Amino acid sequence: MNRELFAAGERLVSPAYVRQGCEARRSHEHLMRLLLEKGKCPEDGWDESTLELFLHELAIMDSNNFLGNCGVGEREGRVASALVARRHYRFIHGIGRSGDISAVQPKAAGSSLLNKITNSLVLDIIKLAGVHTVTSCFVVPMATGMSLTLCFLTLRHRRPKAKYIIWPRIDQKSCFKSMITAGFEPVVIENILEGDELRTDLKAVEAKVQELGPDHVLCVHSTTSCFAPRVPDRLEELAVICANYGIPHIVNNAYGVQSSKCMHLIQQGARVGRVDAFVQSLDKNFMVPVGGAIIAGFNDSFIQEISKMYPGRASASPSLDVLITLLSLGSNGYKKLLKERKEMFSYLSSQLKKLSEAYNEKLLHTPHNPISLAMTLKTLDKHCSKAVTQLGSMLFTRQVSGARVVPLGSMQTVSGYTFRGFMSHTNNYPCAYLNAASAIGMKTQDVDLFIKRLDKCLKTVRKEQNKESDVSGVDNNDKTEDVDIEEMALKLDTVHLDTCQDSS
Amino acid sequence: MNRELFAAGERLVSPAYVRQGCEARRSHEHLMRLLLEKGKCPEDGWDESTLELFLHELAIMDSNNFLGNCGVGEREGRVASALVARRHYRFIHGIGRSGDISAVQPKAAGSSLLNKITNSLVLDIIKLAGVHTVTSCFVVPMATGMSLTLCFLTLRHRRPKAKYIIWPRIDQKSCFKSMITAGFEPVVIENILEGDELRTDLKAVEAKVQELGPDHVLCVHSTTSCFAPRVPDRLEELAVICANYGIPHIVNNAYGVQSSKCMHLIQQGARVGRVDAFVQSLDKNFMVPVGGAIIAGFNDSFIQEISKMYPGRASASPSLDVLITLLSLGSNGYKKLLKERKEMFSYLSSQLKKLSEAYNEKLLHTPHNPISLAMTLKTLDKHCSKAVTQLGSMLFTRQVSGARVVPLGSMQTVSGYTFRGFMSHTNNYPCAYLNAASAIGMKTQDVDLFIKRLDKCLKTVRKEQNKESDVSGVDNNDKTEDVDIEEMALKLDTVHLDTCQDSS
Amino acid sequence: MNRELFAAGERLVSPAYVRQGCEARRSHEHLMRLLLEKGKCPEDGWDESTLELFLHELAIMDSNNFLGNCGVGEREGRVASALVARRHYRFIHGIGRSGDISAVQPKAAGSSLLNKITNSLVLDIIKLAGVHTVTSCFVVPMATGMSLTLCFLTLRHRRPKAKYIIWPRIDQKSCFKSMITAGFEPVVIENILEGDELRTDLKAVEAKVQELGPDHVLCVHSTTSCFAPRVPDRLEELAVICANYGIPHIVNNAYGVQSSKCMHLIQQGARVGRVDAFVQSLDKNFMVPVGGAIIAGFNDSFIQEISKMYPGRASASPSLDVLITLLSLGSNGYKKLLKERKEMFSYLSSQLKKLSEAYNEKLLHTPHNPISLAMTLKTLDKHCSKAVTQLGSMLFTRQVSGARVVPLGSMQTVSGYTFRGFMSHTNNYPCAYLNAASAIGMKTQDVDLFIKRLDKCLKTVRKEQNKESDVSGVDNNDKTEDVDIEEMALKLDTVHLDTCQDSS
Amino acid sequence: MNRELFAAGERLVSPAYVRQGCEARRSHEHLMRLLLEKGKCPEDGWDESTLELFLHELAIMDSNNFLGNCGVGEREGRVASALVARRHYRFIHGIGRSGDISAVQPKAAGSSLLNKITNSLVLDIIKLAGVHTVTSCFVVPMATGMSLTLCFLTLRHRRPKAKYIIWPRIDQKSCFKSMITAGFEPVVIENILEGDELRTDLKAVEAKVQELGPDHVLCVHSTTSCFAPRVPDRLEELAVICANYGIPHIVNNAYGVQSSKCMHLIQQGARVGRVDAFVQSLDKNFMVPVGGAIIAGFNDSFIQEISKMYPGRASASPSLDVLITLLSLGSNGYKKLLKERKEMFSYLSSQLKKLSEAYNEKLLHTPHNPISLAMTLKTLDKHCSKAVTQLGSMLFTRQVSGARVVPLGSMQTVSGYTFRGFMSHTNNYPCAYLNAASAIGMKTQDVDLFIKRLDKCLKTVRKEQNKESDVSGVDNNDKTEDVDIEEMALKLDTVHLDTCQDSS
């Protein structure tokens, strides 16, 4: 409301009360102004009222919300469904222009502001989370993998001779595919086993660079966050190699923003060597729906070059989600989440240790992995490899989500490349194991339920094994199959499912 | 509610009334069942109540909404902000898996169903809109340009020798960038002038294919919907050339779903020759927010190959938008929108004709363009080319959005390629002109307001020209500048803006 | 956004675009200012964007939404559930103060404005609907019946000797109860049959006044909208009698705002005689949820006296509903609804006439009733009175809502008073009949479906009657029972219900 | 979804995943069934997903949401505005029937269930809060005062000779008005001072009963929750007097549900004597918007009699709010709120004690009041009574809401009755004071901010007093004025307000 409106209001109700209301509005406006001027995440989260007012204010700056607008173009932000308009707070024009996903749209000043502010907030949070010298970033409404692809495609123009990407192995399909989709040949560097941990083989990396010739290498593609017993790559050393040979370095920091260790690695890498861009998932780090990533780096012009590679306007939806989330949480709220996650990691770790020992298994010693844990499943696997996948399936049907069982020796072909020991990041890990992670937003209750259910499942599997112990040891050949563990698991465990038949 | 719930309800209120309610529920369920079984867009739109019930039913099938779920993975669909969860109807897991954007997610049966159903509905609508023999399609949460890039990247694996993409010129940045980003060299085929229309130079295309050698050509990249006086490419003939030389054919059908003519061209192309994939925008054809595209084709395995190129999970937001929209409209509602658009095109055409004649201009004769119209601005341009851009600016500040003025001879460099006469799809179009389009969702009121405001602006510009007529004719060198018309326009027209200073 | 905010925005995106947005905001503000200054319903409805902005602006003027508020009272507008806060747009303090439901609340300037504006808009609409000289009104979150009670309670203080309320009979429980609850003795004036119509017996009214003595009469309580064959009371003549004897006159105008005839009667009554207050339902006239009424009149101080009788603060919910509705519709939208209702009345009338004749029945000739129609059920009733109630039940289970069948001679006791021929407004109406009404918001499709289903039901009942014709004629004694027709009907018709058993 | 729907889903995505979803649905249904069967507040709050599903399920049982409904009545639940429909979750028919606000509506099985369940939950909570033997209650969408009026109107029919209501004085307008509106004459019993506390004068009550004659007394109207230094009435003793003389006893328990002490008094009263009904506010006890009350009692038939006095259907909005709130909180959540309130009371008490001593004032010793506290303002009042009201005004403009200053000797006339010392519950309280309360939902931050601001204001007032000390002592006559303290306060304090002038 402006001055005239308040004046009109004063004629209807007592001026003193209207003035109180007017004062109150100013305190909302004060928060908005600070945000626009500083571009930083507020310390304390905003309440819904300020947040929605802010979004409303931005939205009415877009031409599709002009009361007197007449549209004669092919893209006018018209919306057929009121439900759809509402769920997007009437931001319809998306972000960016055909030339650049970070560009300002003449038709949509509000959406453009939303985009700028979101990128600015996210940059602030990345600094806060540990990468203090980051200079530039942008939210892109694509998966982490596709965002990596975009980085590789951008590098192609800088390095016309390059064909290869050097990639310390991590068994996650989309990382691998990101290189294939971009049209490059991944050069897989096998990890080395140090204690229980799988770590980067730096010598093999350097040898490969020399073998292929630096000009033929598009970049080194390293990874921070990963499933134990693999641990984050030796980023500092890789960054130094890249600097020495003049090779770009792209870091897959998928869910690493939530871990000060991962962020520290990137910061150190950039300090002592070369990190060109690091890419992270929005959903995994900021508790928003799947669909966006952040591409960040230390060189404005390179990051801008990437943003100019996206041809066309893009969905504002992931930007809107992260904006709402960060303004609601405030930096204090986000820091609190980070702190809780760390605590939950310790708790999960100690609980899983206890349980594993009770079953004569052990919690793998992987101190360099700040998020994921692994507990051996040796005793299960001894008799029959099916027991391992069956455990996975049982956990799934008991509504434990995210726990992964990794049997020995499964083989998988991805885009024509065959990986032995797929899921374990190495050809022959010494034993089968089970993964659990402490990710942002996890609660004590998640840990407790998980431990309880895992305990029950292990008991059940054991019992069955004892029964079948004479018949076992047969199907070792299935270890070489190309399997999708989760799917296979489901086929095995049909317990419980039939109850569903009587439902509703 | 299931039988037990209704029984419990009957104890509280009269059984007869509860049974009525139970009957009523069945009619909602009947609609949902039809949808799931047939996978077709319902003829009559659903009301909000059915729609929201359906979305709710799907959402509670996702693990993040399980009441007893415990999550120990790195991606558990946790959401920090209730506002965000709500606006996504609690669909958090996105669509697809790391391997394939069309794949089913074990953790998210509801989101997976949503994805399948949306793709099925969209396929149904594409058939209804004129491409009767389409067999496969999927929604991807990326711009049309980026989706084209994905198609090109997929083809790379099939055609390792190919370096070039043959592209009948269309002056729209993201089409051009889509090829650059994919790492290919666009081979621009200039259009030829037939009457007022700019049409595909088929001979030049074929000559180029022969010159480069079919194996070195990744594909022909043609366009349907475009700004007049360019008209849709001669798709049938291009499709035949592609078939003859064994070259893939990718069609940019950006906003062509709304035009039976564009859809007919694709259908014919596929019938007589070769169309590998056609890509269309979600927002421009279905009145949803910017952010998604549909990749469609006639060969299941090729379309599936494209869907498998997307590395990672993706935003479900565009799919959700189009699902809500199509279920709300029903196929009858969508057909009605198509019919109204056609009528509005005739109306806009006749009004613009009248107006242009009143100003000694003419409406360009472009019968092959079913969406966009162009009116000459000869008299304006005669004195001073600035007048043309000023007109654009004046329209913009008067809340006419989407009208484009195209001055003579502007030059623009896109990704290192320089285009003469940029925006006009040819090096030297005979005159400056103004574009207006009749896009889906346009209303009579839009046309009337546009004509009224254009009339006023033309009057004003004329008046000013008469005053300045002695001083003019100076700045012809400006024509060779690299300009962004919209932005330039804004700098010129500062009329009106100052009023803003007194605001709020 | 204020000037400073826009300035901050200009630093992030182009000033020219921000200024466009700023201009656009002004057009929303312009509408709000007009509303606050004039207090009239805008001619054209507001779009959701303006409406929600307005509600948001008001809500942040309430102390519960102050960012820095600290509450140490017993009623601080705290809300436990975010869902609840949201659905009330964060208006928590209700309307009015302990002393007066129309009073301004110091803690809640926004809610107070909302209340004032709503009452002002509603007054405007009452004028527009035909009572041009109304001077004062307020929305009260109570049923029409309870609102009538409040009027009677107010009059008690003015007329300490009065014990009776003179009430031309209308068979609707809550009208009757409104008097009982207020503690007065209703004096029922039976209607007289003129042709098919039941009309006010003016002589009986005047005789009763004389018999009881004017001072002992609290008021005359008349009715406009009612079920045919009763027609609106002869308001003009009643108003004259009231004026002559100095007796207050309260009009139950339940759903009469939608009919120009009903409104005209009130206007005329006030012109030639005395109308102290007229009370109307919000839901029945404005298509909002059940829960509110409007108390209106021609004398500010009397209406204010009523508003001061409500002890305590009250729900703002009905006011908010009608405010949203009227701002969305605009006066033009509301007028359109009134016009369509009238047309639908003609259509329903003609269709029902045709159908009734096909079954040897007739549409009762009730030209004074502008909303409700009645069709005889003579042939049904001839054999067996159960057939009539069975028809009602069949319609109910076939999802025809609101159709009422009125059998002959049912008896009902309400608060100790026994009514013969209950539901028919008279002791002995010549025949059984069925009612249908054309109320605001009715669609052609409602009429068509109704006629179709009624046709089917009549056919079925006839067929059954023919079968049973030898056994019939037995249960005439049930005519004297005390029945709730709808409930009885349900017990009879169990056809269809069993299908429900198999449902989910 | 029912079995057929899940089957259809299984054809689209993996059956195993669909079955997981189906299982998950059952857990939501399980909660709903428990609720319907037991009618008790769940211990743990429901999450939004279950809650909205439940509301949706209920809503589609109402005829206005039937897909095939055709309405030919005058009240068909049509809604003009989609915003309005949505905010009511499509419950449009309200609650109750013309005869009874607790009755079931044939047209609206869902709304009827909602009503029944809400009343059942609320009954459960009243028991949990301390009135274990309550047997019946219902939510009514009216203020506490109007609900008391309804109780009195009901009693009128039982006690035709009664004219008086005996009422131990409490200075709150709507309590007083509730009797006036019902048409009875309040007989005010002055409180007696015991230490700092104002308590019920039992002898005066009994004497008055004898003087008027029990048959002429409609009821005793007592109060629990109130502002200190008044304390809850001696309910046990009053209940015994009522029992002895056969007089009904109605208790105003406005915000007493939140206090175990108030609830205990009612329970004891009912055990040893007579309590016919007790009435409490929804908003003050359950943190919902203003607008509803609960009428509860120990005799089903009497409570039902009251519910049958409400003529007409009523708003379901307050019922819906409290239903959502209680299901969200669960009984554990509500208990937690009660516990926190108690703790906050201790905290506020100790902080206020400290502050008062620092200013040579004292915290009044009122151990029987469990919610409200009072701190003397003797030193302020000594010089000039204006200082007291100015303090109130200063607190108000500093966004302290709910703090009340009570100057000496103000006089107020309510409905013709004049109260000396209005606001202080007695003619001559020894000193001026300030009230603050610890109500449900209060936070530590509220207390801290309050204490800080009060400290500041006291400092400022003192300073001004010292300046003016020579001029003071003039306007003692003002003490006898009829004032609305809050309003007066506002007129005095114009500090701060002018800053508003520069605002947007």
Side-chain angles (χ1 to χ4, degrees), chain C residues 16 18 45 57 63 120 165 167 179 194 206 227 232 234 247 273 278 281 309 349 370 393 402 406 431 452 457:
Chain C
V18 171
E57 293 281 5
S63 62
S120 181
I165 297 178
W167 180 64
M179 300 178 284
E194 300 187 7
E206 189 156 11
F227 288 107
R234 293 180 184 274
I247 297 175
F278 55 106
S281 154
M309 287 301 280
S349 176
S393 163
V406 181
C431 62
K452 197 176 133 191
C457 290

Side-chain angles (χ1 to χ4, degrees), chain B residues 232-277:
Chain B
D233 276 321
R234 293 179 183 274
L235 234 65
E236 280 190 54
E237 296 85 340
L238 286 174
V240 169
I241 293 172
C242 287
N244 290 345
Y245 291 91
I247 296 174
H249 184 193
I250 305 292
V251 181
N252 175 5
N253 186 39
Y255 44 102
V257 181
Q258 66 192 283
S259 151
S260 55
K261 274 193 195 172
C262 291
M263 294 305 266
H264 182 69
L265 282 174
I266 294 167
Q267 177 61 57
Q268 282 303 96
R271 202 178 55 82
V272 303
R274 178 170 179 173
V275 171
D276 293 71

Side-chain angles (χ1 to χ4, degrees), chain D residues 262-322:
Chain D
C262 292
M263 295 304 266
H264 183 68
L265 283 175
I266 294 168
Q267 178 61 56
Q268 282 303 95
R271 202 178 56 80
V272 302
R274 179 170 179 173
V275 171
D276 293 72
F278 55 106
V279 177
Q280 37 268 313
S281 156
L282 272 189
D283 58 290
K284 288 181 192 141
N285 291 299
F286 295 100
M287 299 176 75
V288 293
V290 163
I294 304 163
I295 299 178
F298 304 88
N299 180 315
D300 286 4
S301 74
F302 178 57
I303 300 304
Q304 211 176 337
E305 206 178 316
I306 303 172
S307 91
K308 285 190 176 163
M309 287 302 281
Y310 188 100
R313 276 166 187 81
S315 173
S317 205
S319 295
L320 182 54
D321 288 339
V322 78

Side-chain angles (χ1 to χ4, degrees), chain A residues 1-3 16-17 19-20 22-23 26 29 83 86 396-397 487 490 497 499-504, chain D residues 1-3 16-17 19-20 22-24 26 83 86 396-397 487 490 497 499-504:
Chain A
M1 306 245 275
N2 59 20
R3 215 183 307 166
Y17 309 158
R19 275 179 217 149
Q20 281 273 94
C22 157
E23 275 297 299
R26 285 182 71 80
E29 284 171 354
L83 284 183
R86 166 179 311 276
F396 178 82
T397 57
E487 276 165 21
L490 282 168
L497 297 183
T499 58
C500 190
Q501 312 259 334
D502 318 323
S503 104
S504 64
Chain D
M1 306 244 277
N2 58 18
R3 214 182 308 165
Y17 309 159
R19 276 180 215 148
Q20 281 271 96
C22 158
E23 274 298 297
R26 286 183 71 78
L83 285 183
R86 168 179 311 277
F396 179 82
T397 57
E487 276 165 23
L490 282 167
L497 296 181
T499 60
C500 190
Q501 312 261 333
D502 319 323
S503 104
S504 59

Side-chain angles (χ1 to χ4, degrees), chain C residues 214-230:
Chain C
D215 281 2
H216 297 112
V217 176
L218 185 84
C219 64
V220 170
H221 172 199
S222 66
T223 305
T224 58
S225 54
C226 59
F227 288 107
R230 194 194 190 282

Side-chain angles (χ1 to χ4, degrees), chain C residues 382-404:
Chain C
K382 212 166 49 185
H383 297 290
C384 160
S385 70
K386 267 192 188 161
V388 172
T389 54
Q390 193 186 356
L391 177 67
S393 163
M394 288 174 73
L395 289 170
F396 179 82
T397 57
R398 275 147 197 83
Q399 305 196 335
V400 173
S401 65
R404 263 172 30 131

Side-chain angles (χ1 to χ4, degrees), chain B residues 190-467:
Chain B
E190 289 291 333
N191 296 300
I192 50 181
L193 192 64
E194 300 187 9
D196 288 341
E197 293 185 334
L198 290 164
R199 307 201 66 185
T200 324
D201 187 343
L202 292 167
K203 282 189 190 154
V205 169
E206 189 156 13
K208 211 62 180 180
V209 169
Q210 289 168 343
E211 180 195 324
L212 300 168
D215 282 1
H216 297 112
V217 176
L218 185 85
C219 65
V220 170
H221 171 198
S222 66
T223 305
T224 57
S225 54
C226 59
F227 289 107
R230 193 195 190 283
V231 301
D233 276 321
R234 293 179 183 274
L235 234 65
E236 280 190 54
E237 296 85 340
L238 286 174
V240 169
I241 293 172
C242 287
N244 290 345
Y245 291 91
I247 296 174
H249 184 193
I250 305 292
V251 181
N252 175 5
N253 186 39
Y255 44 102
V257 181
Q258 66 192 283
S259 151
S260 55
K261 274 193 195 172
C262 291
M263 294 305 266
H264 182 69
L265 282 174
I266 294 167
Q267 177 61 57
Q268 282 303 96
R271 202 178 55 82
V272 303
R274 178 170 179 173
V275 171
D276 293 71
F278 55 105
V279 178
Q280 37 269 312
S281 155
L282 273 189
D283 58 290
K284 288 179 191 144
N285 291 300
F286 295 99
M287 299 175 75
V288 292
V290 163
I294 304 163
I295 300 178
F298 304 88
N299 180 315
D300 285 1
S301 74
F302 179 58
I303 299 304
Q304 210 175 336
E305 206 178 316
I306 303 172
S307 89
K308 286 189 174 163
M309 288 301 281
Y310 188 99
R313 277 166 187 81
S315 172
S317 204
S319 295
L320 182 55
D321 288 339
V322 78
L323 178 65
I324 292 174
T325 301
L326 289 178
L327 289 178
S328 302
L329 288 172
S331 58
N332 288 337
Y334 191 68
K335 279 188 220 163
K336 190 162 165 270
L337 282 172
L338 295 184
K339 193 168 153 278
E340 287 169 358
R341 192 205 68 78
K342 219 173 217 168
E343 291 163 3
M344 216 41 65
F345 181 74
S346 303
Y347 182 59
L348 175 63
S349 176
S350 71
Q351 293 305 96
L352 209 51
K353 195 164 191 300
K354 254 188 264 172
L355 187 79
S356 59
E357 285 162 4
Y359 284 90
N360 287 319
E361 299 286 356
K362 86 168 206 183
L363 184 68
L364 291 175
H365 184 62
T366 53
H368 288 94
N369 194 319
I371 297 173
S372 172
L373 295 162
M375 160 189 164
T376 62
L377 296 175
K378 285 177 200 170
T379 57
L380 231 72
D381 194 45
K382 213 167 49 187
H383 298 289
C384 161
S385 71
K386 267 192 189 160
V388 172
T389 54
Q390 193 187 354
L391 177 67
S393 163
M394 287 174 73
L395 289 170
F396 179 82
T397 56
R398 276 147 197 83
Q399 304 196 336
V400 174
S401 66
R404 262 173 29 131
V405 294
V406 181
L408 277 186
S410 65
M411 213 115 144
Q412 176 131 8
T413 304
V414 181
S415 307
Y417 290 72
T418 299
F419 290 90
R420 288 184 54 206
F422 192 69
M423 286 181 78
S424 72
H425 318 287
T426 191
N427 293 332
N428 283 302
Y429 197 76
C431 62
Y433 58 84
L434 171 143
N435 277 131
S438 165
I440 192 166
M442 192 186 219
K443 302 270 171 225
T444 313
Q445 173 188 318
D446 287 309
V447 177
D448 292 341
L449 268 178
F450 166 60
I451 295 292
K452 196 175 135 192
R453 291 178 187 170
L454 176 56
D455 188 14
K456 260 194 175 165
C457 290
L458 284 170
K459 246 184 221 122
T460 310
V461 176
R462 285 275 169 95
K463 222 177 281 173
E464 286 180 26
Q465 278 193 326
N466 293 340
K467 286 188 214 152

